[in-house]
Amino acid sequence: MNKIISSGTRQKTFINEDLIWSEMEKATDPAPSLVQEILLKARERQGLTPFEAAVLLKNTDKELDNEIFNTAMYIKKKIYGNRLVLFAPLYISNECVNQCAYCGFNAKNEDLDRRTLSSDEIRKEVEVLEDLGHKRLLLVYGEHPKYNAEWIAQTVRDVYAVTSEKSGEIRRVNINCAPLDVAGFKTLHDVGIGTYQCFHETYHQETYNKVHLAGKKTDYAYRLYAMHRAQEAGIDDVGMGALFGLFDPIFEVMGLLYHAQQLEKDCGVGPHTISFPRIEPAQNSELAFNPPYLSSDHNFKKIVAVLRLAVPYTGLILTTRENAEFRKELLEVGVSQISAGSRTYPGAYSDPEFDRPDVQQFCVGDSRSLDEVIHSLITAEKSYVPSWCTACYRLGRTGEHFMELAKTGFIQKFCLPNGLLTFKEYLEDYASEETKKAGNELIRKEIAGYPDADRKNLLTERMTRMEAGERDLYL
Ligand code: SAM
Ligand code: SF4
């Protein structure tokens, strides 16, 4: 049962900046023995405190950095195996009344053509995405008074309504929209959204005030408690994140971890996912072209690795903001979900007129198609099993229940077989010949190496049924 704190106590921030600064100070120049001790604890999948995360991030010894990466790889493998969940963002609107200094959708950007998709346009976009093989979408919206909860809920219904014999259906719709009140979140819950995602951007209040210049998003506390309100409304899976590049990245990681801790304390369950977008150039945004706290690739990879150690059972999401080569490196240290073939302008999947880099929300770093991404994932030296699995969500294994199950090795027992079944579906219905050939070989190897004989037989039987035309089979 979720423990929810009353709305009245939610005005004050729980991000204690003095504490974060003092812990960061204490973590400076850490003794190698302390780093090793923390890594030993992380290996036991116990997670890390914000202070321990800061110690790892403050380490500058190259060899110990490699140990941090190796430990993250170990944890990733232990908990998630080689499975990787795939999704696509679907931008519904780019009209926005806020003025976030880093975003191309900023109300002051007069060069952007504003667009809000109609139900019919949403249908066209979803048809293209379904034809490519997508089953999980993340809907993205600007913030505008006309996009109220009921309006957003209708766009979700529009997406779920697009089904076809040939291309199947979208099975999970996640949402990234401005924070709502509890009643608004209930409206979204009622139409069956998956994860509600909202990034706090920066946990440093002064910086937050500096980069959010107008609109509702200027209210730091209202945004900070968005996840609490979503959970209060019954949305079990919530996704948090920070926009890296606005402020000191170690401060941001600690902010994320304190946020996660508070959510778990107040609501009984922490974040289902964490995202860590790095600022990309965006139209007419001086800040996005010259972010004040740009992390090097090495340090960014360390952030991902440390998050994997700090919250081992939380999904880590990587988008196409990063380029293809670097994405491969980040997968190894802990990412569990990636987007592929993304367009960040409303209408850009179905209408080539909007499929131009100059109008996107930010510059996409990996512009490969879904099939190209999959081909590279399955033929890489360390190959991955692409998954579109939504079984847990559909069987009610979400939030608290999901976390409990995840901790008992359940991910390996259910997620890998179910991932393989969805991958088979992809190969049968959407893959290029080359991908199909490599994919079937990977499935064969995975089943051959599967340790449990009963499940192995079950899987083989389901694969045969898939080849005969059955779909949407899961354990
Ligand atoms: N309007 C809603 C909001 O602000 O929460 C949701 C949509 S907004 C487009 C989604 C996310 O995009 C933001 O939370 C922010 O982290 C990210 N974003 C904005 N500008 C970006 C940029 N220049 N580069 C990378 N990510 C950016
Ligand atoms: Fe609008 Fe969100 Fe972009 Fe801010 S980040 S300008 S709220 S779309």
Side-chain angles (χ1 to χ4, degrees), residues 91 96 100 102-105 140-143 176-179 198-199 201 217 223 243 277-282 288 321 361-362:
Y91 279 66
C96 192
C100 308
Y102 45 80
C103 180
F105 295 174
V140 184
Y141 310 77
E143 180 161 6
N176 186 326
C177 69
C198 177
F199 307 152
E201 322 297 12
K217 199 162 162 180
R223 194 168 179 92
L243 182 58
R278 234 184 343 178
I279 294 192
E280 288 294 322
R321 289 170 177 89
Q361 187 208 356
F362 48 79

Side-chain angles (χ1 to χ4, degrees), residues 460-471:
T460 311
E461 178 257 339
R462 303 249 156 130
M463 291 291 172
T464 314
R465 280 167 57 190
M466 286 267 193
E467 280 170 7
E470 273 191 72
R471 292 290 175 266

Side-chain angles (χ1 to χ4, degrees), residues 263-432:
L263 193 70
E264 187 156 3
K265 181 165 161 248
D266 296 336
C267 305
V269 59
H272 185 62
T273 57
I274 289 185
S275 302
F276 32 85
R278 234 184 343 178
I279 294 192
E280 288 294 322
Q283 192 182 47
N284 288 338
S285 164
E286 169 60 27
L287 181 61
F289 277 95
N290 295 298
Y293 289 86
L294 203 60
S295 303
S296 66
D297 280 0
H298 176 86
N299 286 345
F300 193 64
K301 183 172 163 186
K302 230 169 107 178
I303 288 169
V304 178
V306 169
L307 282 172
R308 176 40 70 233
L309 300 178
V311 282
Y313 298 99
T314 297
L316 293 185
I317 301 184
L318 177 65
T319 68
T320 54
R321 289 170 177 89
E322 302 298 335
N323 68 46
E325 272 315 300
F326 190 43
R327 290 216 310 163
K328 277 186 210 152
E329 274 189 54
L330 295 178
L331 292 187
E332 289 186 17
V333 294
V335 167
S336 52
Q337 297 190 21
I338 60 166
S339 52
S342 305
R343 305 284 182 277
T344 62
Y345 189 90
Y349 290 109
S350 55
D351 190 341
E353 201 217 316
F354 302 111
D355 187 9
R356 310 189 317 258
D358 59 309
V359 298
Q360 307 287 319
Q361 187 208 356
F362 48 79
C363 296
V364 169
D366 180 355
S367 54
R368 293 171 302 163
S369 69
L370 176 64
D371 196 73
E372 283 169 327
V373 171
I374 288 173
H375 189 264
S376 110
L377 288 174
I378 62 180
T379 52
E381 201 185 320
K382 287 187 190 131
S383 58
Y384 290 91
V385 172
S387 168
W388 288 265
C389 184
T390 50
C392 281
Y393 170 65
R394 290 148 92 205
L395 294 172
R397 299 190 291 235
T398 57
E400 202 174 358
H401 310 293
F402 174 79
M403 285 295 168
E404 271 165 25
L405 292 166
K407 289 175 186 170
T408 58
F410 157 98
I411 294 188
Q412 286 293 16
K413 208 165 156 210
F414 284 93
C415 301
L416 181 63
N418 283 339
L420 283 169
L421 287 164
T422 59
F423 183 40
K424 180 70 176 170
E425 200 169 305
Y426 175 81
L427 297 177
E428 289 295 312
D429 294 342
Y430 314 100
S432 63

Side-chain angles (χ1 to χ4, degrees), residues 71-113:
T71 314
M73 281 183 214
Y74 168 82
I75 293 293
K76 156 104 202 273
K77 214 160 175 250
K78 197 95 193 145
I79 298 179
Y80 298 88
N82 59 351
R83 194 187 51 102
L84 196 62
V85 171
L86 283 141
F87 72 97
L90 171 54
Y91 279 66
I92 302 289
S93 66
N94 63 12
E95 291 181 70
C96 192
V97 291
N98 292 341
Q99 290 174 32
C100 308
Y102 45 80
C103 180
F105 295 174
N106 182 327
K108 285 278 179 200
N109 180 8
E110 285 170 8
D111 293 331
L112 182 73
D113 283 333

